[in-house]
Amino acid sequence: MIENVVVKVNPDRKFELPPEITDQLRVGDEYKVLVTEGEIVLRKVEKPLVDLDEFFNSLEQMEPGPNHLSLQEISDVVKEMRRERQSNQ
């Protein structure tokens, strides 16, 4: 959605945004401000749904489950499945 809206700078040098813009703003949202000659552009900072560092740290701290396979066991299963697929072709 692209809108062409004119906003005014008030005496405190702040923008007076109309409701059609302020209704789209959420508390805590962050915007990157790009300033060039004659232009100021706001771009919303998109945050990932999951913090990958936190996710990987939690994975490293997890204990293996009772049915946890070792890398060697996984490799053996994959090799067996490949052999079965090749013999069925």
Side-chain angles (χ1 to χ4, degrees):
M1 161 181 57
I2 298 175
E3 291 187 29
N4 195 5
V5 178
V6 176
V7 297
K8 203 178 235 184
V9 177
N10 67 22
D12 295 327
R13 296 194 320 198
K14 295 182 181 180
F15 289 110
E16 296 177 5
L17 301 173
E20 60 265 24
I21 293 177
T22 57
D23 289 347
Q24 297 177 46
L25 303 175
R26 301 288 172 252
V27 174
D29 282 353
E30 295 178 347
Y31 288 81
K32 184 181 220 178
V33 180
L34 306 167
V35 181
T36 62
E37 283 187 43
E39 195 172 57
I40 299 173
V41 178
L42 298 174
R43 290 205 178 126
K44 187 174 182 180
V45 175
E46 296 296 333
K47 296 181 183 180
L49 297 176
V50 176
D51 181 339
L52 289 180
D53 290 331
E54 184 180 309
F55 176 73
F56 286 126
N57 284 336
S58 67
L59 280 181
E60 289 174 1
Q61 294 175 12
M62 290 177 69
E63 295 289 327
N67 299 324
H68 180 79
L69 297 177
S70 68
L71 289 178
Q72 183 60 48
E73 291 170 317
I74 293 170
S75 178
D76 293 342
V77 169
V78 169
K79 287 176 186 175
E80 180 61 31
M81 295 302 294
R82 286 181 178 159
R83 275 190 234 120
E84 285 180 22
R85 275 183 77 191
Q86 289 175 352
S87 66
N88 290 336
Q89 290 179 354

